[in-house]
Amino acid sequence: VQLGNSLTHDPRNAKTILAAGSIIQDNQEMDTALIKYRVAAVQTPNSAQLWNNIGMCFFGKAFHTAAVSCLKRALYLDPFEWIICYNLGLVHLNTGQYASAFHYFSASINLKPDFPASYMYLAITLARLKDFPNSCTAYEKAISMEQDHMNHLNYAITLYNHGETEKARTHYGLFKELYTELNQEEMEHDFEVMAQSQALQEALEKADKAS
């Protein structure tokens, strides 16, 4: 409500537009958010937060080249903002550029070492780079900081892919415990998580039968 009132007073107020755009972006309405940000860009073309948010809108629309371009502009404007490094890591991980993803996740962790998701994505990146021992270390760090269902699911998948079936089963069990604690809406919108979970469960069942 406050945001709406502020926009009424001055619809071109850049900080308000940035906040409104960010809320819309969090609700996955990327095109609407981009329109808001375009207005803000005229007022504050040198806002790192603005270019970070524009970059993540493009990422949400799978325009990866545009996303990287905007995020790098944001990083140029504010080289010590951890979330920009984190987001660059996400984009590069999604495009299979694992060396670059490793660089940006490491930079993000150096700037903000208490954000568990950075370690989880670093772990996924290290696994893709065939560095299984350090991947496990990063997963264990993430789990020690936060009991999140995604930490355990991704760790279980990585363990299974490297032949650690029993340990994978343990972490898959922990994932299921935490997953059942989510509310129904969160579960229903996690299509990819459900698909990955199902695929891992089937793989573990096949491993049981084979043994």
Side-chain angles (χ1 to χ4, degrees):
V1 176
Q2 287 179 325
L3 285 171
N5 288 341
S6 180
L7 286 170
T8 307
H9 297 317
D10 181 4
R12 294 182 309 281
N13 181 298
K15 280 197 174 180
T16 304
I17 290 166
L18 189 59
S22 185
I23 290 166
I24 292 164
Q25 185 179 344
D26 287 343
N27 292 329
Q28 304 296 308
E29 297 171 20
M30 302 298 176
D31 290 324
T32 307
L34 281 168
I35 291 165
K36 296 277 186 187
Y37 293 144
R38 195 171 291 128
V39 176
V42 176
Q43 308 294 318
T44 54
N46 295 322
S47 165
Q49 187 186 355
L50 174 66
W51 288 106
N52 173 71
N53 289 6
I54 293 172
M56 293 314 285
C57 271
F58 282 128
F59 177 55
K61 290 168 66 66
F63 297 158
H64 296 122
T65 302
V68 169
S69 177
C70 292
L71 288 167
K72 284 190 173 178
R73 181 166 183 174
L75 194 62
Y76 170 77
L77 293 166
D78 190 350
F80 301 107
E81 179 51 74
W82 71 272
I83 193 72
I84 302 170
C85 294
Y86 174 80
N87 287 337
L88 276 162
L90 287 178
V91 178
H92 284 100
L93 176 58
N94 272 268
T95 55
Q97 296 171 292
Y98 303 127
S100 294
F102 172 79
H103 166 77
Y104 287 114
F105 285 131
S106 297
S108 178
I109 287 166
N110 284 334
L111 292 166
K112 186 175 175 62
D114 61 349
F115 189 61
S118 297
Y119 294 94
M120 182 190 76
Y121 285 116
L122 178 64
I124 294 169
T125 303
L126 286 163
R128 301 278 171 86
L129 288 168
K130 314 295 186 194
D131 188 350
F132 179 57
N134 281 318
S135 173
C136 291
T137 301
Y139 277 122
E140 296 286 355
K141 176 70 174 176
I143 289 165
S144 73
M145 296 170 75
E146 181 182 32
Q147 285 297 314
D148 181 84
H149 66 287
M150 292 305 301
N151 290 338
H152 288 289
L153 178 60
N154 282 308
Y155 195 12
I157 291 168
T158 299
L159 287 163
Y160 175 81
N161 287 338
H162 288 82
E164 299 267 359
T165 309
E166 284 308 311
K167 203 170 176 185
R169 191 174 283 105
T170 299
H171 283 281
Y172 182 60
L174 291 166
F175 155 76
K176 286 201 291 187
E177 284 177 26
L178 292 165
Y179 192 64
T180 56
E181 293 171 10
L182 299 178
N183 65 50
Q184 195 63 36
E185 189 179 354
E186 285 177 303
M187 286 185 182
E188 287 172 358
H189 284 87
D190 262 348
F191 300 118
E192 191 177 345
V193 173
M194 290 166 69
Q196 292 286 342
S197 169
Q198 186 64 34
L200 180 59
Q201 184 171 325
E202 289 170 5
L204 290 170
E205 285 170 359
K206 281 183 185 175
D208 277 342
K209 288 172 184 173
S211 61

